[in-house]
Amino acid sequence: MRETTISRRRFMKTTALATAAAFQPLFWIPRSASAAQELRVWTYNNFITKEFRQSFESETGIRIRVKLIDDQGKELNLLVAEKPNFTADVVTVAGHRFPQFINQGTIEPLDESKIKSWETINPVYREADWMIRDGKRWGVPILMGSEGMAYNEEKMGKVDTWDVMFDERYKGKIAYQVQDFLSIAMQYLGYDGTMVSYLKRPEVGRRAVEATKNFLIKHKHLVRAFYDSGAQVQQMFINEDIWVAQCWSGPAARLIMDGFPIRYTIPREGGFGFVYTFSVVKGARNRENAYKFLNAIMSDPRQGTYLTKATGFVSTFVGAEKGLTELERKASSLSQEELERITFFSPVAVEFKYKLFDRAVEEIKAA
């Protein structure tokens, strides 16, 4: 067995420095003496790199105040609780969650007259159906990810099935994020994890969620931990507390880039895909600064490169992959066969889905 020589300290250091090499300011925006000099952003860890933040603040005089989030549902609930006096100007929203954020009156459509150019964003993302509602875009897509399986290859060999998540041999070495894994478990059991097919048959959908909930409770004794953030699952893999987990592609890719014996795959039963966006909060106090921020992010494809290096997720920026090393490209890519196993989360049934999921998640945790 190959000895793992990368410590937690080295892992955290390399993650923090992933985007530092050869970084130079990529944009220039004149300061405005009358402008409010702050921008409040709610986002995930490393979605705003240290280097981008320093350059943006230096060039604009606008201080970015970051509040880290780890869950879309929690973020939405916090925004709803604050309405209409939001403490954020820009929030990070997964595209399939747009209907919830829009219907709750927490984000507003982009004022595209303030967007200098969309050319850096791949048209696959900027023209996607889920991006547009009532003829308007509701965010700037920045990163694409998938939800699959990460596992320790040295401990488990090659794995391509979700069966291992319910295998007694791996008792105490399994972890997952309950809400996200619920969709995967539904697919695994032969149900529709997107819930779209149940919109006209809601009772069938309720029974499917109930059956999946009971299945997960039955196998709960195998689980080492339910986690909330990418950093948590990364640390469990580093410590070898777990060998296998339902995981987002970004955190898994970061582990691979840093030399840990982790593999990431979309098992044969399938996985899910999603796109993260930066969206402007409805009635944002610092709206002008929000658009300066969005334009700065989209100012150069290298911004996308740095985001992939920092997060492990695939950039939506045209040409961003050109700045990646061979290892970084390998860590953040999937085979054609794996790509064909991905189902993108749909915004169509999101309200119906999470109404049932939120209750099921609490019952699984409490069981």
Side-chain angles (χ1 to χ4, degrees):
M1 181 180 75
R2 178 174 62 82
E3 181 180 357
T4 302
T5 59
I6 301 178
S7 66
R8 165 174 160 77
R9 179 175 294 179
R10 179 180 169 192
F11 169 75
M12 296 303 289
K13 181 179 179 181
T14 54
T15 299
L17 296 178
T19 65
F23 185 95
Q24 296 178 354
L26 303 178
F27 53 88
W28 180 83
I29 304 172
R31 298 188 184 194
S32 172
S34 62
Q37 297 302 300
E38 72 169 4
L39 179 70
R40 305 163 301 170
V41 183
W42 291 8
T43 193
Y44 294 92
N45 190 37
N46 289 328
F47 275 34
I48 299 177
T49 66
K50 179 181 178 181
E51 293 73 29
F52 171 84
R53 184 174 180 172
Q54 289 176 341
S55 292
F56 180 82
E57 291 181 346
S58 175
E59 294 297 327
T60 66
I62 299 168
R63 182 178 180 184
I64 299 176
R65 299 182 183 275
V66 174
K67 178 175 182 175
L68 291 179
I69 60 170
D70 59 22
D71 179 81
Q72 290 282 288
K74 292 178 186 176
E75 181 186 33
L76 178 60
N77 289 339
L78 286 171
L79 287 169
V80 171
E82 290 185 349
K83 193 169 61 172
N85 301 309
F86 299 112
T87 61
D89 300 304
V90 174
V91 290
T92 307
V93 182
H96 61 282
R97 290 276 201 158
F98 273 156
Q100 286 180 298
F101 284 76
I102 295 169
N103 293 343
Q104 290 289 348
T106 61
I107 61 175
E108 62 185 33
L110 292 179
D111 180 349
E112 297 203 39
S113 69
K114 296 182 183 295
I115 299 294
K116 292 183 177 180
S117 175
W118 285 98
E119 293 307 307
T120 53
I121 305 297
N122 191 313
V124 169
Y125 304 108
R126 71 172 188 255
E127 303 298 340
D129 290 343
W130 55 263
M131 270 280 292
I132 301 171
R133 180 167 173 169
D134 299 327
K136 300 175 182 179
R137 291 186 177 91
W138 291 80
V140 172
I142 55 168
L143 291 166
M144 188 276 283
S146 59
E147 194 173 296
M149 177 191 293
Y151 63 95
N152 187 318
E153 190 174 25
E154 289 183 349
K155 301 292 187 182
M156 301 180 66
K158 185 176 181 180
V159 177
D160 71 344
T161 174
W162 288 111
D163 287 348
V164 296
M165 299 290 286
F166 313 106
D167 193 323
E168 291 284 346
R169 290 177 297 172
Y170 305 114
K171 181 179 180 180
K173 295 296 183 180
I174 297 166
Y176 56 80
Q177 202 277 351
V178 185
Q179 189 174 77
D180 288 353
F181 191 56
L182 189 55
S183 294
I184 288 173
M186 287 186 69
Q187 296 282 100
Y188 174 79
L189 294 173
Y191 301 118
D192 177 8
T194 71
M195 298 292 287
V196 172
S197 65
Y198 303 131
L199 283 175
K200 295 183 179 180
R201 302 177 298 156
E203 189 54 41
V204 176
R206 292 188 186 94
R207 291 198 297 268
V209 173
E210 182 72 12
T212 306
K213 178 200 74 176
N214 291 336
F215 179 80
L216 292 180
I217 291 174
K218 178 181 178 181
H219 293 88
K220 185 178 176 179
H221 68 287
L222 301 176
V223 181
R224 173 63 177 262
F226 298 140
Y227 69 87
D228 290 316
S229 71
Q232 286 178 289
V233 73
Q234 286 173 327
Q235 192 57 56
M236 287 190 286
F237 272 120
I238 292 168
N239 295 342
E240 295 190 354
D241 294 330
I242 60 170
W243 293 354
V244 61
Q246 160 269 328
C247 188
W248 308 294
S249 55
R254 282 301 325 160
L255 289 171
I256 295 168
M257 290 177 193
D258 284 288
F260 290 93
I262 304 302
R263 286 288 300 274
Y264 177 79
T265 187
I266 305 297
R268 59 176 179 259
E269 299 91 352
F272 290 94
F274 52 88
V275 178
Y276 286 118
T277 73
F278 281 139
S279 295
V280 178
V281 171
K282 188 172 184 178
R285 187 173 71 191
N286 300 300
R287 184 184 284 109
E288 292 303 313
N289 292 346
Y291 282 97
K292 289 179 181 179
F293 170 79
L294 295 178
N295 282 314
I297 285 285
M298 292 192 289
S299 65
D300 192 293
R302 288 177 294 174
Q303 297 287 12
T305 303
Y306 301 141
L307 280 170
T308 293
K309 287 176 178 285
T311 67
F313 288 115
V314 175
S315 172
T316 60
F317 290 38
V318 176
E321 71 283 354
K322 295 178 182 177
L324 300 176
T325 66
E326 183 177 351
L327 176 61
E328 288 165 343
R329 283 194 294 271
K330 182 179 179 181
S332 58
S333 65
L334 294 167
S335 69
Q336 185 61 36
E337 183 179 18
E338 289 171 315
L339 288 171
E340 291 173 359
R341 296 171 179 171
I342 293 176
T343 299
F344 275 84
F345 284 119
S346 171
V348 175
V350 68
E351 297 280 1
F352 173 57
K353 175 179 179 177
Y354 287 106
K355 182 178 180 180
L356 296 176
F357 271 37
D358 288 346
R359 180 177 177 179
V361 166
E362 293 308 312
E363 291 177 355
I364 292 168
K365 290 180 177 180

